[in-house]
Amino acid sequence: MNPDTPQPAQRGTGPTALEDDLQQRQRAVTALGDELRALGDAAVGAEAPTETLHLVAEAARRLTDQLATPRRLRASVPAIDDFATGRRFYNPVSGEGNPLAPPMRVETTADTVTGHCTLSLVHEGPPGYAHGGMSAMLLDELMGLVCLHSARPSMTVALTTRYLQPVPLDTPLRAQARITRTENRKTYVHGSIATETRPAQNLVEAEGVFVSPAPDSQRALFPHLPLL
């Protein structure tokens, strides 16, 4: 064989192979998250016989054992995440791999972040309606994202939530966040939740104060990450 003849690239090496592996893992994490969400929703809504519940619990225990090791460290960022852009697969609001997440689909414009999701029985507070803590969590996530996408990555220091009407389950929701003003390292944000069919009628509103950490504080909080 002529040594000058170009050889085909080896399978499983190079940037393309690494990208393929990452995408395959992201798809696998998303697929597992989807099934766990479906299982959670089925579990909290089940009126199955007691024996069936015991059988399903044992099957779930065996599956859990398959994921027992290895585990990532508490403060480590999963390789499939893009921390800088806010795409985090295990985020409890928008993470496709987190069984608690709705998950929320997020859209951004120049000054607004909009989230779309539907809450289910696993998020229930009063019968038929979402737990108030879920509304606060959805808004806190969006309000932090609008800071990030406005080049003001910040952490929540205050969040005041007003519950105007109950948030219904199994109903497409529309949540929004926008920056109202800035002051040095502080960012003031307004958030709201409505239904997709009645976007002008807010069910929940919130005002938040977010602060960009000083470099020393950021190093102490997130020593494993580059400065934002």
Side-chain angles (χ1 to χ4, degrees), residues 84 110 144-154 179 182 184 187 212 228:
L145 280 177
V146 77
C147 294
L148 177 64
H149 289 289
S150 298
R152 296 180 65 87
S154 307
I179 293 175
T182 60
N184 300 321
T187 304
S212 300
L228 298 175

Side-chain angles (χ1 to χ4, degrees), residues 93-110:
V93 172
S94 59
E96 296 99 316
N98 191 320
L100 174 64
M104 178 177 279
R105 177 174 55 85
V106 177
E107 302 171 345
T108 62
T109 61

Side-chain angles (χ1 to χ4, degrees), residues 55-98:
L55 290 173
V56 173
E58 179 57 33
R61 188 177 299 112
R62 291 195 297 270
L63 291 175
T64 300
D65 288 343
Q66 296 183 48
L67 298 175
T69 57
R71 294 180 62 85
R72 61 185 172 93
L73 299 176
R74 178 178 66 88
S76 64
V77 177
I80 59 174
D81 281 1
D82 188 350
F83 196 87
T85 63
R87 189 182 187 194
R88 307 191 65 193
F89 276 79
Y90 299 109
N91 181 287
V93 172
S94 59
E96 296 99 316
N98 191 320

Side-chain angles (χ1 to χ4, degrees), residues 4 18 28 35 40 56 68 72 86 99 102 132-133 138 169 183 217 223:
D4 295 328
L18 292 175
E35 294 306 324
V56 173
R72 61 185 172 93
L138 297 181
L169 299 178
E183 180 183 303
S217 297

Side-chain angles (χ1 to χ4, degrees), residues 157-173:
V157 296
L159 183 66
T160 303
T161 309
R162 295 183 298 278
Y163 299 92
L164 308 176
Q165 294 185 46
V167 175
L169 299 178
D170 299 322
T171 302
L173 302 175

